[in-house]
Amino acid sequence: MATATFPKKPPSPNNAYVVAHVEPTPATQVYLPEIFKGLAVAMRHFFRNTKEMVRNERPDPVTESIAQGITTISYPEQKRPYPERFRGLHRLTQRDDGSPRCVACLCCSTACPAQCIFIEAGEYPEGDPRRGYERYPVKFVIDELRCIFCGYCVEACPCDAIRMDTGLHAVPYDSREQFIYRKDLLLAQASRDGSHLTANPRHEPGDETHPGVTREHMTH
Amino acid sequence: MPTFTYDGKTIPFEPGETIIKAAYRQGIEIPHYCWHPGLSSPANCRMCLVEIAPPPGQRGMMLDVLEWDAAIGDYKPRQKPKLQPSCQIPAAEGMQVKGDTSDNVKEARKGVQEFLLLNHPVDCPICDQSGECKLQDYWVEHGQYQKRMRDEPIHKPKAVRFGPSIVYDAERCVMCTRCIRFMDEVAKDPVLDMRERGNLNEIFVAPGKELTGHYTFMTEHVCPVGALTTVDFRFKARVWFLRTAKSVCQGCATGCNSHLDYDPRYNKVYRYRPRDNEQVNAYWMCDEGMVSYKRAHEGRLIEPRVKGSVVAVKKALAEAKSYFEAVPGETVAVVLSAQHSLEDNWALRELAGAYLGTRAIYATGLAEGYHDAILIHEDKNPNTRGVLELASGVRPFSSLLDDIEAGRVTHVIALGGETPADASAELGERAKHALERLQALVVIAAHEGLLAHAAHVLLPAASWAEASGTYVNAKGIHQVTEKAIEPQGASEPAWKLVADVGQALGYDTSWTKLKQVRARWTSAPTVPDATAVSPSPQASQTP
């Protein structure tokens, strides 16, 4: 009769070691000295910080993380500089006439892995020079709570209409509703240098500069 | 059947068939823009060029070309076979055709692609065709070059209004002339033509005319690029978000095969597209049919009502039960609907025949309307033949009114909200008064209509877009639709609601799955003879 075989216990990993058992002694069981040691560390930092604050010796916020000394800064009076490629909150770029450059192609919302962008496309109203040529976003909504700031929307945009160059990071609002950024707000956000426009202008149908045919025969 | 070979694959063909069509029927796509299986071949896009080996013992047609030889740093004369458009060359027995396997063909396709894109504005973000555009697809397959032209492309009229439903963009047009040929050959209304030449070539509408009629949407659907767009679908949705269900048009008794495109994220239907079926609609659909997708959302009934006020389903069923307690079977009538599927009608007929014991079976549906010799049928109901098949000799709606007025019918269970009385004011007035005389009217309907408004108990049924169903078209062909969107509101498939009503009335109506319904109706022995009461001369006509 075959004996039942049980799976073997896996061997200990090579990097495992047994911690030596330490017998409790009065020295380890009396915890008060350790408490005072800890308090001493805290007080040392407290007095040093106070002294440096009074003497105005606070280190530079960039070098302070390397240097010995305090590890905090007085946000928001002081801010750490962001890296050059920091992705701030979104903005929608504008044309010279203030209309959004967005043509509601939905490439950004297609690329968005968090699915935080909602766009409703529409046609320009009667009488608009872009009527019939182009679509525009009737609604453009970004849920900044869902956004993971991956920047795919910026990469996907064929019109350079959405950018993440505002230099703003997510603001602590007190309700979820405030994180739902709509078209007007996104259009109103400026880039770090204060511009609402894009660095990549182009001729667009409907622009006066566009070398198109005359539109006289095109009643629409 | 004779055969020829394309890239080594043996393809059978019928005598006289072109190479491209024979390959298309075998599921092999030779790239093309201007060719369409249902239209004539102008061979003007040159995308379908193939290399055909000369017949045995004959010299092939060759072209003298200069080819750059990098090794000697100079052009070298070479002979190259003359390629031929596969959309115009009839296949012949034993013909040897090379497509993807021929370098000459590959070069030609790349050249054609480059030529077509010379002046094409790459405004894919604005263009509705992106995602289903042949230019995009073939560029990936056969193009993949850097753009060499550094000039400003030629600008041509954009957003030209061809008619109330079609907008034309000349810049995007590749001059395949499919729209011209469609209007000419299928719609028999040749209002489109071409003007100018070369770079300035554009499609235009005959002066003083507009692109109107019953087949304007098809011009957009045959367009391989985004040159023609319909006002209806324009800028509404991006096609890559849409899912497609194989459906059947509900517009008339022709029962055109169609694709129903919907967005699952919003549970919304966006458009109809024709689906190829040589036996029914070939490749076409009419305008009325194509915009009829809107009925998936317009005029829908999505909540149960008792005498007009919204209630829960349970409450509505209990109400229905209270109406039907101690009612003699003779005064109960059921009304089938030519607007509903065979499954729905079967369930109600089963309830009537096997459980209620009523022999008074009537049918409703929309009134007759416009018809033509191309696709549009005068009967505006998709399932009239189905209703007649289920219960031969059902009586029309007007005889239901007669019977109500004569007091022979006092309790009615009806399917479908629409009646022929919806369109006619005179009949409508009469129907309204007649239906008011009823002691009980239980209506299971997906769409609003006279019956639905008069109902004492109204149960919301799923529309054709929300449930799979079988429809029998005027030719008697059974066609099954796929479910597209989820049922809206509290709506449920009508056959299920019929079962619920039956159970509320205390019957053993136990079909709970579509499969069961289909299995039972194909083997159902209980066909009540509706003609037994009083045969009507119009019974075999449209109800």
Side-chain angles (χ1 to χ4, degrees):
Chain A
M1 193 183 115
T3 52
T5 54
F6 292 95
K8 275 186 182 166
K9 191 182 165 190
S12 314
N14 289 335
N15 57 356
Y17 60 95
V18 179
V19 180
H21 180 67
V22 182
E23 284 293 323
T25 60
T28 59
Q29 280 193 309
V30 178
Y31 57 88
L32 278 177
E34 297 300 319
I35 292 267
F36 287 119
K37 273 189 202 168
L39 274 175
V41 171
M43 295 314 288
R44 194 169 70 233
H45 280 290
F46 171 73
F47 286 119
R48 187 189 290 169
N49 285 349
T50 315
K51 187 189 78 181
E52 283 175 353
M53 197 178 72
V54 171
R55 288 191 182 177
N56 208 9
E57 288 176 353
R58 180 157 299 180
D60 180 74
V62 179
T63 54
E64 65 168 358
S65 60
I66 313 160
Q68 292 286 321
I70 64 163
T71 53
T72 55
I73 57 166
S74 307
Y75 186 85
E77 291 81 21
Q78 287 180 317
K79 282 177 186 168
R80 288 179 210 272
Y82 284 120
E84 192 66 17
R85 291 175 62 200
F86 164 72
R87 299 192 195 97
L89 290 179
H90 311 78
R91 74 179 174 106
L92 285 177
T93 58
Q94 300 178 359
R95 295 198 182 96
D96 291 338
D97 62 0
S99 62
R101 280 171 65 95
C102 173
V103 294
C105 70
L106 276 79
C107 284
C108 55
S109 64
T110 306
C112 179
Q115 300 186 7
C116 66
I117 306 178
F118 172 83
I119 302 169
E120 191 183 309
E123 220 163 332
Y124 276 101
E126 205 71 53
D128 193 290
R130 294 177 210 280
R131 163 89 178 168
Y133 281 36
E134 268 190 12
R135 24 204 288 160
Y136 83 108
V138 180
K139 287 180 188 164
F140 196 114
V141 183
I142 301 180
D143 185 346
E144 297 287 358
L145 275 180
R146 276 193 161 208
C147 177
I148 56 167
F149 297 95
C150 63
Y152 282 8
C153 52
V154 181
E155 297 288 327
C157 183
C159 301
D160 195 26
I162 188 166
R163 287 185 154 220
M164 295 173 84
D165 60 359
T166 51
L168 302 170
H169 60 224
V171 185
Y173 295 120
D174 54 11
S175 79
R176 283 174 184 271
E177 178 56 29
Q178 286 165 293
F179 286 96
I180 311 294
Y181 280 28
R182 283 164 223 282
K183 189 175 88 174
D184 294 343
L185 176 59
L186 289 165
L187 275 171
Q189 305 245 50
S191 71
R192 260 175 287 211
D193 55 17
S195 167
H196 291 280
L197 306 178
T198 167
N200 301 300
R202 58 169 189 161
H203 294 302
E204 281 163 291
D207 283 347
E208 283 179 11
T209 54
H210 189 258
V213 292
T214 58
R215 303 193 65 207
E216 280 155 23
H217 65 291
M218 280 171 266
T219 49
H220 192 81
Chain B
M1 203 179 248
T3 59
F4 68 95
T5 59
Y6 177 77
D7 285 345
K9 282 176 281 241
T10 308
I11 296 174
F13 66 95
E14 280 159 18
E17 214 170 31
T18 56
I19 296 172
I20 198 170
K21 178 106 187 235
Y24 175 81
R25 288 200 296 122
Q26 290 295 305
I28 298 167
E29 188 184 297
I30 299 176
H32 59 271
Y33 290 101
C34 68
W35 179 78
H36 188 282
L39 299 172
S40 60
S41 304
N44 61 4
C45 75
R46 317 310 283 182
M47 192 64 185
C48 67
L49 292 178
V50 288
E51 192 178 327
I52 301 174
Q58 285 192 36
R59 256 183 84 245
M61 212 189 320
M62 302 298 267
L63 295 175
D64 291 320
V65 291
L66 285 174
E67 201 175 60
W68 177 256
D69 192 337
I72 57 172
D74 199 0
Y75 287 97
K76 214 170 62 175
R78 187 172 82 90
Q79 280 214 318
K80 174 174 141 175
K82 184 161 168 55
L83 305 178
Q84 301 178 63
S86 62
C87 69
Q88 266 202 338
I89 307 290
E93 174 69 46
M95 197 183 238
Q96 290 186 358
V97 187
K98 276 161 95 183
D100 300 330
T101 50
S102 161
D103 289 340
N104 295 317
V105 171
K106 279 188 200 160
E107 191 193 345
R109 286 175 184 171
K110 196 170 171 179
V112 168
Q113 190 68 29
E114 184 171 9
F115 171 68
L116 289 177
L117 283 169
L118 268 188
N119 289 313
H120 191 91
V122 191
D123 56 358
C124 308
I126 310 167
C127 178
D128 268 340
Q129 199 82 4
S130 64
E132 51 186 10
C133 173
K134 285 274 177 75
L135 276 172
Q136 289 180 329
D137 295 349
Y138 290 159
W139 191 84
V140 174
E141 273 179 52
H142 311 288
Q144 305 257 22
Y145 51 83
Q146 288 291 314
K147 183 167 183 171
R148 289 189 285 172
M149 190 176 89
R150 294 279 163 252
D151 295 339
E152 179 76 21
I154 302 291
H155 290 281
K156 289 197 276 187
K158 287 181 91 71
V160 185
R161 193 176 165 281
F162 268 7
S165 58
I166 297 288
V167 177
Y168 173 65
D169 187 321
E171 288 189 339
R172 294 181 194 150
C173 183
V174 295
M175 298 300 150
C176 68
T177 68
R178 274 191 192 182
C179 50
I180 301 174
R181 281 176 286 140
F182 173 81
M183 288 310 287
D184 203 355
E185 295 165 14
V186 181
K188 313 276 185 219
D189 182 19
V191 291
L192 295 182
D193 209 338
M194 230 174 180
R195 69 175 167 203
E196 306 288 355
R197 279 170 181 256
N199 282 337
L200 299 176
N201 209 334
E202 65 173 292
I203 309 286
F204 77 114
V205 192
K209 292 271 180 97
E210 271 201 328
L211 182 60
T212 53
H214 293 276
Y215 296 92
T216 60
F217 275 44
M218 269 317 299
T219 57
E220 189 263 332
H221 282 274
V222 294
C223 184
V225 297
L228 295 173
T229 45
T230 61
V231 171
D232 184 55
F233 185 65
R234 199 174 153 78
F235 301 166
K236 293 283 191 313
R238 303 304 274 172
V239 293
W240 56 81
F241 286 124
L242 302 182
R243 299 283 173 274
T244 299
K246 286 175 187 158
S247 191
V248 173
C249 177
Q250 305 286 302
C252 71
T254 307
C256 292
N257 289 219
S258 59
H259 293 292
L260 189 61
D261 290 348
Y262 63 99
D263 194 331
R265 299 172 303 166
Y266 310 124
N267 207 33
K268 197 178 163 198
V269 177
Y270 279 94
R271 66 173 174 179
Y272 253 143
R273 270 183 305 136
R275 181 156 58 96
D276 299 1
N277 188 338
E278 292 278 2
Q279 288 183 315
V280 182
N281 56 319
Y283 313 93
W284 325 118
M285 271 177 86
C286 70
D287 286 3
E288 288 77 17
M290 285 221 235
V291 296
S292 70
Y293 77 88
K294 290 183 177 169
R295 268 167 59 82
H297 300 292
E298 281 173 9
R300 286 275 288 110
L301 299 165
I302 55 168
E303 47 209 4
R305 287 168 187 272
V306 169
K307 289 189 173 157
S309 50
V310 180
V311 295
V313 183
K314 266 188 183 169
K315 180 93 188 298
L317 288 172
E319 197 75 16
K321 181 178 181 256
S322 72
Y323 280 119
F324 278 84
E325 267 166 352
V327 170
E330 304 87 67
T331 60
V332 180
V334 298
V335 182
L336 305 183
S337 172
Q339 286 279 324
H340 276 259
S341 68
L342 217 47
E343 287 84 350
D344 300 351
N345 282 304
W346 173 85
L348 189 58
R349 192 213 65 188
E350 188 75 357
L351 180 71
Y355 300 106
L356 291 172
T358 176
R359 290 180 164 192
I361 297 183
Y362 304 84
T364 61
L366 291 172
E368 291 184 355
Y370 172 85
H371 68 101
D372 65 18
I374 305 169
L375 279 180
I376 305 173
H377 200 277
E378 59 197 0
D379 178 9
K380 296 297 164 199
N381 302 296
N383 206 16
T384 308
R385 276 288 287 263
V387 168
L388 295 176
E389 251 175 48
L390 271 181
S392 56
V394 289
R395 281 172 285 160
F397 184 68
S398 56
S399 86
L400 172 71
L401 298 183
D402 292 341
D403 288 350
I404 294 172
E405 281 159 3
R408 289 194 289 271
V409 168
T410 55
H411 293 69
V412 171
I413 302 178
L415 195 59
E418 307 95 331
T419 61
D422 287 328
S424 120
E426 192 190 341
L427 190 59
E429 200 59 34
R430 183 185 157 210
K432 219 171 150 187
H433 288 302
L435 293 175
E436 274 169 12
R437 288 172 52 130
L438 284 174
Q439 289 173 30
L441 175 59
V442 176
V443 176
I444 298 163
H447 290 101
E448 278 176 7
L450 203 90
L451 267 175
H453 287 301
H456 298 137
V457 177
L458 175 70
L459 294 166
S463 72
W464 89 102
E466 296 155 15
S468 179
T470 310
Y471 298 87
V472 187
N473 77 354
K475 286 184 189 165
I477 300 173
H478 288 238
Q479 306 189 101
V480 179
T481 63
E482 281 178 3
K483 175 184 169 181
I485 55 175
E486 292 299 320
Q488 301 169 66
S491 61
E492 274 186 279
W495 50 265
K496 207 179 241 172
L497 290 171
V498 172
D500 290 347
V501 169
Q503 271 165 21
L505 303 188
Y507 303 116
D508 176 29
T509 49
S510 57
W511 53 90
T512 54
K513 290 202 177 82
L514 189 64
K515 235 190 209 168
Q516 292 171 341
V517 173
R518 284 185 181 155
R520 284 183 65 170
W521 114 57
T522 45
S523 61
T526 56
V527 180
D529 188 3
T531 47
V533 182
S534 65
S536 154
Q538 301 131 16
S540 58
Q541 304 299 311
T542 55

